Amino acid sequence: MPEKIILDTDPGVDDAMALYFALRSPELEVVGLTTVFGNGPTELTTLNALRLLEIAGRTDIPVARGAANPLQGVYANTAAVVHGDDGQGNVFLPAPTTQPIAHSAAEFIVERVLAEPGTITLLAIGPLTNLALALQREPRIAGLVRRVVLMGGNAFVPGNLSPAAEANIFNDVDAADRVFAAAWPVTMIGLDVTHHATMSSAQLEHYGRAGNPLAAHLARITPFYRDFTRTFNGLEGIYVHDSTAVAFLVCPEAFTTQKHRIRVDTQGFARGKTWPARVGLYGSEAWAGRIEVDVAVEVDGPRTVSLELQRVCGSIP
Ligand code: RIB
Ligand code: CA
């Protein structure tokens, strides 16, 4: 039986890659998309979620619109330089023909988890606001999800939005801290591993040759993202941050994890930093009572990136 996932997402170029990797993986069944601000305002990321499903011929998958702002404060859009003004590499797709469902993201998550206890995995690849709101709405979901896998954070490496913080965590520090505090099984796929999962410019060329609409869309949108990475990171290729969380679900043997309790710095110059405390190694009171999170610390990046390409392109010559 495939693992049922709700993909909580802020599409986003690498979110589009992750969605298509998931849709083309028989180990997974995408039962819904929930949207959040991050790579653009929620109004835009919701339209993009609908557009991406339409391109994939999967308008049967419901899209629930999520939070427009973090738990505290107001969303500030700084991602256009990375993902384009349209969140999709400035290709400016036509309006979608479909609509989001009437329920909010938090309502949808709660309903699906209660309806199928122990079955639903929350795969979060944007800021964690919707997950925090779902927990607030119905705390019992912590014991009823199958697991939570999230792309976010940086345990032992620098951040990407600031020297201290990764973007998804930085964009809602309070929600992230609640998610790491809740008593549910969490795996953190952070920059510790995603910065070792790079798709080269030569590999990106495969999308244009694959001959299916999903790959063709990725061929259109990835050049903008690649140009950003080239300029700001000096990398000839891209980080496939969000797809690495999908890879963890379909190919866990490519990863090494360690158990840590995680706290999120919510103030000051290190705002958004995910601080790990290895169980048995530290005695700090500040982490007392926190659940142990599986933190990914190593990945066979060439393997997961190659798997992603094979799945989305069909085959690689
Ligand atoms: O730090 C990487 C994360 O933030 C990814 O989810 C990506 O979509 C970005 O905006
Ligand atoms: Ca994302």
Side-chain angles (χ1 to χ4, degrees):
M1 287 283 284
E3 184 167 352
K4 293 185 179 183
I5 64 168
I6 293 175
L7 185 69
D8 190 67
T9 178
D10 59 334
V13 173
D14 65 324
D15 298 73
M17 298 175 76
L19 170 63
Y20 287 171
F21 185 12
L23 289 177
R24 302 265 297 189
S25 290
E27 299 89 347
L28 303 177
E29 178 186 350
V30 181
V31 300
L33 302 190
T34 50
T35 60
V36 67
F37 64 90
N39 292 327
T42 305
E43 191 180 341
L44 175 65
T45 59
T46 304
L47 290 173
N48 285 343
L50 295 166
R51 289 171 168 130
L52 289 168
L53 289 174
E54 197 165 331
I55 289 167
R58 293 301 309 271
T59 53
D60 57 302
I61 297 174
V63 174
R65 189 197 318 260
N69 289 295
L71 297 182
Q72 294 188 49
V74 177
Y75 165 63
N77 186 0
T78 57
V81 66
V82 187
H83 297 268
D85 291 330
D86 65 347
Q88 291 290 285
N90 281 345
V91 299
F92 298 102
L93 293 165
T97 62
T98 52
Q99 302 273 336
I101 61 174
H103 292 182
S104 72
E107 288 169 342
F108 179 77
I109 289 170
V110 168
E111 280 172 19
R112 284 305 305 241
V113 171
L114 294 183
E116 296 185 73
T119 303
I120 303 290
T121 289
L122 303 179
L123 177 57
I125 58 175
L128 294 165
T129 320
N130 292 333
L131 271 64
L133 290 172
L135 270 174
Q136 184 175 301
R137 189 176 189 86
E138 179 47 89
R140 286 183 302 156
I141 65 168
L144 297 174
V145 295
R146 178 167 172 172
R147 54 178 166 164
V148 176
V149 175
L150 63 91
M151 190 282 128
N154 51 307
F156 304 107
V157 297
N160 62 356
L161 198 138
S162 81
E166 183 278 329
N168 286 341
I169 304 298
F170 183 90
N171 278 328
D172 195 341
V173 292
D174 302 289
D177 199 48
R178 288 192 201 180
V179 167
F180 286 119
W184 51 12
V186 177
T187 302
M188 175 176 131
I189 305 294
L191 301 180
D192 303 77
V193 286
T194 67
H195 276 176
H196 295 285
T198 56
M199 192 176 288
S200 69
S201 292
Q203 286 177 306
L204 284 167
E205 299 290 320
H206 290 304
Y207 287 127
R209 295 194 287 265
N212 72 66
L214 294 76
H217 179 63
L218 298 183
R220 290 184 70 199
I221 68 174
T222 46
F224 185 95
Y225 188 59
R226 184 207 52 212
D227 291 348
F228 168 83
T229 316
R230 182 185 283 149
T231 305
F232 285 85
N233 302 98
L235 182 73
E236 193 47 53
I238 61 172
Y239 298 119
V240 288
H241 296 290
D242 290 341
S243 298
T244 307
V246 177
F248 178 77
L249 290 176
V250 303
C251 185
E253 58 275 19
F255 292 79
T256 304
T257 62
Q258 288 176 352
K259 290 201 181 296
H260 294 271
R261 296 179 173 133
I262 298 286
R263 286 201 64 175
V264 178
D265 212 325
T266 56
Q267 300 176 49
F269 69 87
R271 189 169 175 273
K273 166 66 185 163
T274 46
W275 291 108
R278 192 160 194 183
V279 177
L281 197 60
Y282 307 105
S284 175
E285 287 299 307
W287 283 261
R290 290 266 155 158
I291 58 149
E292 292 178 3
V293 169
D294 287 315
V295 177
V297 292
E298 284 178 31
V299 65
D300 182 346
R303 179 175 174 183
T304 58
V305 170
S306 165
L307 177 66
E308 175 176 3
L309 274 171
Q310 285 166 15
R311 291 284 171 87
V312 176
C313 294
S315 65
I316 301 298

